[in-house]
Amino acid sequence: MAIYAEYIVDQREWAKIRVVGNDSERFLQGLCTNDLSALGVGAFCRASILNQKGRVLSVVDVVRVEGAFHLFCEPVLGEKTAQILQRYQMMDEVAFSEIEEPMYRRWGAPESVWDAPPILGALPAPAASATEVEIRRVEAGLPKYGADVDEGNFPFESILENAIDYKKGCYIGQEPVYRVYAKGSPAKFLRTLEIRCDEKVPVGAAVVAGEKKVGTITSSALSPTRGSLALAYIKKAAWDPGTEVQVEGHTAVVQRSPNTKIPED
């Protein structure tokens, strides 16, 4: 069994927004795919913010604090997320402010990365390098906005299924998301590939089964414990774990990412 060092992941550059006001919960419930009403003080969840067609505009980590919510998102999403909040504020009693404290997380084994809570405050130890963080992210199958998920993707095909609560009330983009959920499965799914080679494969490379292209590499890394890994959108014909495909002339095996709920059939 592989042993993974714990990393301090410096996320001081992430956007950090405080949302306050009597309508803050109702306001965020109408934007986010997850159920924020279920959060206790100090708890966090991940959620997507969608457009009317159910495509992912932003991915946020939401923490309930006393009298407010904290929203955290990748640096590339900061300005866009702030604009979305302002656009939908309208008549709600809600206000936004920037949180200026630094932020970090503790990442252990890949399966722990998804649930690692954001922590405000000074780093308790030297941070892991950008290369170490990227390798662990790919090992965990955690999608990065702009690389593995963007406005062209539904959340359920981007391993963000756990960030959706299908039982909660209305939110923007709910109807198209629920239609696909009721249908059973999406047309493609973000999977992890273990590639039998000693090098990183290029982002954008085709994933081939037989003579047909069945996917595209979106992220890749060379893991010291698992070798060459990649994330790729794979079509239904080849997405089952254990399926062998080809990438750049190398055999690759489809893996189930730690956070994956569906599809398995």
Side-chain angles (χ1 to χ4, degrees), residues 32-53:
C32 295
T33 55
N34 220 334
D35 185 8
L36 308 189
S37 68
L39 284 181
V41 173
F44 98 99
C45 70
R46 187 161 291 120
S48 296
I49 298 176
L50 311 179
N51 63 20
Q52 296 286 354
K53 296 181 178 181

Side-chain angles (χ1 to χ4, degrees), residues 52-133:
Q52 296 286 354
K53 296 181 178 181
R55 307 302 177 105
V56 181
L57 295 179
S58 183
V59 180
V60 295
D61 285 346
V62 185
V63 179
R64 184 192 287 271
V65 298
E66 195 67 46
F69 289 90
H70 290 171
L71 270 58
F72 305 117
C73 59
E74 296 176 66
V76 69
L77 288 169
E79 183 176 350
K80 179 202 277 190
T81 303
Q83 290 174 351
I84 292 171
L85 296 178
Q86 294 288 348
R87 183 189 316 148
Y88 288 103
Q89 181 181 12
M90 294 182 285
M91 300 301 292
D92 290 302
E93 188 179 333
V94 62
F96 318 112
S97 60
E98 181 181 354
I99 299 170
E100 297 183 354
E101 290 181 77
M103 187 179 86
Y104 68 94
R105 299 183 204 240
R106 294 180 181 271
W107 281 4
E111 57 269 21
S112 74
V113 168
W114 284 86
D115 297 325
I119 304 170
L120 292 176
L123 274 62
S129 70
T131 298
E132 290 172 325
V133 171

Side-chain angles (χ1 to χ4, degrees), residues 138-263:
V138 175
E139 289 173 334
L142 184 69
K144 181 178 182 180
Y145 200 91
D148 311 296
V149 57
D150 58 27
E151 292 186 20
N153 297 115
F154 291 108
F156 43 74
E157 67 186 18
S158 306
I159 329 184
L160 294 170
E161 180 74 7
N162 285 355
I164 305 171
D165 188 314
Y166 289 104
K167 297 179 181 179
K168 66 168 282 186
C170 295
Y171 58 86
I172 295 170
Q174 180 188 31
E175 289 188 10
V177 166
Y178 192 83
R179 279 200 300 270
V180 176
Y181 171 73
K183 183 179 178 181
S185 66
K188 60 183 178 179
F189 202 74
L190 191 65
R191 287 296 203 195
T192 299
L193 298 179
E194 288 190 352
I195 304 163
R196 294 172 183 165
C197 68
D198 298 322
E199 59 190 32
K200 285 176 60 176
V201 296
V203 171
V207 180
V208 178
E211 297 181 355
K212 294 184 178 180
K213 179 181 177 181
V214 294
T216 303
I217 301 295
T218 57
S219 287
S220 66
L222 194 59
S223 166
T225 56
R226 296 174 60 189
S228 184
L229 296 175
L231 302 182
Y233 279 99
I234 306 292
K235 293 180 180 179
K236 188 172 185 177
W239 72 29
D240 288 340
T243 301
E244 291 192 354
V245 293
Q246 295 288 313
V247 180
E248 296 285 292
H250 304 290
T251 298
V253 181
V254 177
Q255 304 291 322
R256 182 182 186 276
S257 300
N259 197 53
T260 305
K261 272 189 177 180
I262 61 164

